Amino acid sequence: MKNQQSIQGILSIVALLCLAAGWFNLFSPEINNLLSRRVFYVLIGISFFLQAPFLTNRNLMYAMYGAAGLCIIGAFLPLEWKISGIKTLGLLAGIIISFTNRPGYRQ
C-alpha cells in the first residue's frame, strides 16, 4: 500500500510538471502539446489504474478503471476529434471517485 502511494505520488508530480510545461510554454509548441495534452493524461490514467484495486467499494473500483481507460484512450485520439475530450471526462470522474472514497465520506 505504501509503495503504491509513493508510485502514485511520483506519477502525479510528473503529470503536473507535464501540465505546467504546456501552460508555461517551456519547450517548443509540439513538445508542450505532447506533454500537456497527451503525456499528462496517460500518467493520470496510470495513477487511476494503480489506485483502483485499493478502493473499498467494488462499483467505485470498476468506475475508476473506466476513468483510467478514458484518460489513456483519449490521450491517443487525434486532438481535432471531438471525442478526444473523453480524456477530460475520465480525469474529472477519477478525481470525483478519489474524493468519494475518502474515509470521512458517508454514503
Side-chain angles (χ1 to χ4, degrees):
M1 178 73 172
K2 205 152 193 79
N3 191 28
Q4 180 257 356
Q5 288 176 333
S6 297
I7 292 170
Q8 268 190 278
I10 292 167
L11 282 173
S12 297
I13 290 169
V14 174
L16 288 175
L17 291 174
C18 289
L19 192 59
W23 280 351
F24 295 113
N25 297 315
L26 300 179
F27 304 105
S28 70
E30 296 82 17
I31 299 296
N32 290 330
N33 280 335
L34 176 69
L35 291 174
S36 66
R37 293 186 178 181
R38 298 199 186 274
V39 175
F40 168 76
Y41 286 100
V42 170
L43 293 173
I44 292 297
I46 293 169
S47 178
F48 289 164
F49 185 79
L50 292 174
Q51 183 181 353
F54 295 97
L55 296 175
T56 53
N57 181 322
R58 197 164 199 71
N59 291 329
L60 291 179
M61 179 183 74
Y62 293 128
M64 186 63 90
Y65 281 129
L70 289 176
C71 287
I72 294 169
I73 292 167
F76 288 103
L77 294 175
L79 296 174
E80 57 274 0
W81 288 11
K82 290 185 189 255
I83 195 169
S84 73
I86 64 170
K87 62 185 182 261
T88 305
L89 180 64
L91 173 67
L92 293 173
I95 291 170
I96 291 168
I97 294 166
S98 293
F99 282 120
T100 59
N101 193 58
R102 299 277 185 235
Y105 179 76
R106 297 176 195 258
Q107 293 181 345

